[in-house]
Amino acid sequence: MGYRIVLASKSPRRKELLEKIGLEFEIWPSKVEEVMTKTSPEEVCVELCRQKALDVASQIKTYSEEHPDLTTPQDILVIGSDTIVAIPKVDRSEESSDGASHTQYDLLGKPKDTSDAKRMLNMLSDNMHSVFTGVSFVFISKEGRVGEYSFFEKTDVYFYPVDDDDIDQYIESGEPMDKAGAYGIQGEFLKFVKKIDGDFYNVVGLPVSRMWYELSNLGVKI
Amino acid sequence: MGYRIVLASKSPRRKELLEKIGLEFEIWPSKVEEVMTKTSPEEVCVELCRQKALDVASQIKTYSEEHPDLTTPQDILVIGSDTIVAIPKVDRSEESSDGASHTQYDLLGKPKDTSDAKRMLNMLSDNMHSVFTGVSFVFISKEGRVGEYSFFEKTDVYFYPVDDDDIDQYIESGEPMDKAGAYGIQGEFLKFVKKIDGDFYNVVGLPVSRMWYELSNLGVKI
């Protein structure tokens, strides 16, 4: 018998993507309060998706222990995910202690209100930004052993210039408000996305092909 | 009054993309027999989309002349489009007369049958290919003057390795048969698409953001 798969997210876009590749899964959103101790997008997205997946794994374990009569022992895979939009800061590359040059970013989450959405979309217009999605797999074996595996994918996105009227109109549609960086690449705003470099579905919110590849490499049968 | 927009294609994916960006348009598929006189994907995709758009523009003009009572004089924009999948040939770069190096490609259209689909998917597995979509605008003014404007977009697509079982299963689903290169980037096969470099919707079949940008630059109000 394969894994019971649990998606630790209530995002309709992530649900749709997992359905597209033919996975059977259930949804168990995390309720954890996200705690950011890191500053780079590479680390933040992995930190947050780990918190979500570990929270749900812990909820599942507790539930199984409290209701042994209602649960069949089965291997479980919990998938957590977190997407961040990051705009490289101009001329702020830093030389780190390992001698490598690291890009510094402004991080954009979901907009607080419409004026915050407007600020974000103005930053993205006629510019390049990077979308980071972290993915955590938490495995719970039939016997209750827990293992985990995390990675992130980065996709660069280039926007055409977007004028104020188009930004206002897009904000009025309500679409930006639940999305990191205040836009969705699958909706009406796609007409301003010049090109991307990386995985498209990573920008939507889940790098499904990388996930599929990693699961296959890990020997996970789903 | 804005342009009456006519899409010279019966592709459901192109229709869906134009709807997504909020365009109002009608569909009038071309019936022209495609004639390829070129060999490079850049030239072939533009040649074929021009033939389609010019054919439909000519049908519309004839119809208007024959049924003056049924047609209101209006500026018309006909949009033709053609998508080709091209695999760069290894070590076959040629030095052309202008001194520039030009990549040589194997061109893939729609598969003839399931074994042709299998051949194509095997070529794409664990490999990079380029998707070229040509777009032609044919403008017919109220007074009957005809003008045209064409361009193409190129997107590089990288596949993870795909094994024979996965290819067979995908072909059985029937999805490859009406698609250039025998795959759709929006269906189940997305799990094998590692990354792209360029416009995603260009791979789906219509570079809508480039189209939007070009129309805006041409001063076309739609």
Side-chain angles (χ1 to χ4, degrees):
Chain A
M1 191 158 62
Y3 279 77
R4 171 182 160 204
I5 298 173
V6 178
L7 176 63
S9 165
K10 57 180 199 292
S11 151
R13 295 172 292 281
R14 290 186 180 128
K15 174 172 176 282
E16 195 189 332
L17 283 174
L18 287 189
E19 284 167 351
K20 268 202 180 179
I21 64 170
L23 272 197
E24 285 187 24
F25 59 98
E26 60 199 273
I27 289 171
W28 192 323
S30 153
K31 288 170 188 154
V32 78
E33 182 140 357
E34 299 176 354
V35 180
M36 268 173 58
T37 67
K38 312 285 187 181
T39 53
S40 79
E42 295 89 341
E43 289 175 310
V44 169
C45 70
V46 168
E47 178 172 48
L48 297 182
C49 70
R50 271 192 77 226
Q51 289 170 11
K52 294 177 189 175
L54 288 168
D55 171 56
V56 170
S58 151
Q59 287 184 46
I60 292 174
K61 280 197 82 167
T62 306
Y63 182 86
S64 305
E65 283 157 17
E66 289 175 355
H67 306 275
D69 48 322
L70 293 176
T71 49
T72 316
Q74 189 180 354
D75 293 329
I76 296 173
L77 163 59
V78 181
I79 301 170
S81 184
D82 190 82
T83 299
I84 288 176
V85 170
I87 305 183
K89 289 185 184 171
V90 183
D91 294 333
R92 290 280 183 87
S93 292
E94 270 186 8
E95 196 85 1
S96 73
S97 56
D98 59 7
S101 168
H102 290 288
T103 308
Q104 296 288 301
Y105 293 93
D106 285 316
L107 303 189
L108 308 183
K110 293 176 187 173
K112 290 184 204 73
D113 50 35
T114 53
S115 72
D116 199 31
K118 189 162 184 166
R119 178 187 67 89
M120 291 182 180
L121 291 167
N122 269 314
M123 290 172 85
L124 302 176
S125 169
D126 202 13
N127 204 351
M128 186 276 263
H129 63 274
S130 299
V131 178
F132 293 83
T133 297
V135 176
S136 269
F137 298 145
V138 175
F139 301 94
I140 314 171
S141 77
K142 271 195 279 292
E143 299 78 19
R145 287 189 308 271
V146 175
E148 60 169 271
Y149 182 83
S150 300
F151 60 89
F152 72 90
E153 270 282 314
K154 170 177 178 260
T155 303
D156 293 335
V157 181
Y158 299 75
F159 272 30
Y160 281 113
V162 191
D163 67 27
D164 280 348
D165 285 352
D166 286 321
I167 288 178
D168 288 343
Q169 197 186 326
Y170 185 54
I171 291 173
E172 265 172 42
S173 79
E175 203 183 289
M177 302 317 291
D178 70 334
K179 297 183 178 67
Y183 78 97
I185 199 166
Q186 288 192 296
E188 195 192 333
F189 215 66
L190 66 87
K191 67 189 176 200
F192 299 116
V193 180
K194 191 174 183 177
K195 58 169 242 156
I196 72 168
D197 187 359
D199 177 31
F200 175 81
Y201 295 104
N202 190 48
V203 185
V204 178
L206 203 61
V208 268
S209 62
R210 172 78 183 274
M211 261 181 56
W212 192 259
Y213 177 81
E214 297 288 353
L215 288 171
S216 164
N217 268 2
L218 290 166
V220 177
K221 282 183 189 145
I222 48 179
Chain B
M1 192 158 62
Y3 279 76
R4 172 183 160 202
I5 298 173
V6 178
L7 176 63
S9 165
K10 56 180 197 293
S11 151
R13 296 173 291 281
R14 291 186 180 129
K15 175 171 175 282
E16 196 189 331
L17 282 174
L18 287 190
E19 284 166 353
K20 266 200 181 181
I21 63 169
L23 272 197
E24 285 187 23
F25 60 98
E26 60 201 274
I27 290 171
W28 192 323
S30 154
K31 287 169 189 155
V32 77
E33 181 139 357
E34 298 178 352
V35 181
M36 268 174 56
T37 67
K38 311 287 188 180
T39 53
S40 79
E42 295 89 340
E43 289 175 310
V44 169
C45 70
V46 168
E47 179 172 47
L48 297 182
C49 69
R50 273 192 76 227
Q51 289 170 12
K52 294 176 189 174
L54 288 169
D55 171 56
V56 170
S58 152
Q59 286 184 47
I60 292 174
K61 280 197 81 169
T62 306
Y63 182 86
S64 305
E65 283 155 17
E66 289 174 354
H67 306 275
D69 48 322
L70 292 177
T71 49
T72 316
Q74 190 180 355
D75 292 329
I76 296 173
L77 163 59
V78 181
I79 301 170
S81 184
D82 191 82
T83 299
I84 288 176
V85 168
I87 304 183
K89 288 184 184 170
V90 183
D91 293 332
R92 290 280 182 88
S93 291
E94 270 186 7
E95 195 86 2
S96 72
S97 57
D98 60 6
S101 168
H102 291 286
T103 309
Q104 296 289 301
Y105 293 93
D106 285 317
L107 303 189
L108 307 183
K110 294 175 186 173
K112 288 185 205 72
D113 49 34
T114 54
S115 73
D116 198 31
K118 189 163 185 165
R119 178 186 67 89
M120 290 182 182
L121 290 167
N122 269 314
M123 290 172 84
L124 301 177
S125 169
D126 202 14
N127 203 352
M128 185 277 263
H129 63 275
S130 300
V131 179
F132 292 84
T133 297
V135 175
S136 270
F137 298 145
V138 176
F139 301 95
I140 313 172
S141 76
K142 270 195 280 291
E143 299 79 19
R145 286 188 310 269
V146 175
E148 59 168 273
Y149 182 83
S150 299
F151 60 89
F152 72 90
E153 270 282 313
K154 171 177 177 260
T155 303
D156 292 336
V157 181
Y158 298 76
F159 272 29
Y160 282 112
V162 191
D163 67 29
D164 280 349
D165 285 352
D166 286 321
I167 288 178
D168 288 344
Q169 198 186 324
Y170 185 54
I171 291 173
E172 266 172 41
S173 77
E175 203 183 289
M177 303 316 291
D178 70 333
K179 298 184 177 65
Y183 78 97
I185 199 166
Q186 287 191 297
E188 195 193 333
F189 214 67
L190 65 87
K191 67 189 176 201
F192 298 116
V193 180
K194 191 175 186 177
K195 58 169 241 157
I196 71 168
D197 187 358
D199 177 30
F200 175 81
Y201 295 103
N202 190 47
V203 185
V204 177
L206 203 60
V208 267
S209 61
R210 172 79 183 274
M211 261 181 58
W212 192 260
Y213 177 80
E214 296 289 352
L215 287 172
S216 163
N217 268 3
L218 290 165
V220 177
K221 282 183 190 144
I222 47 179

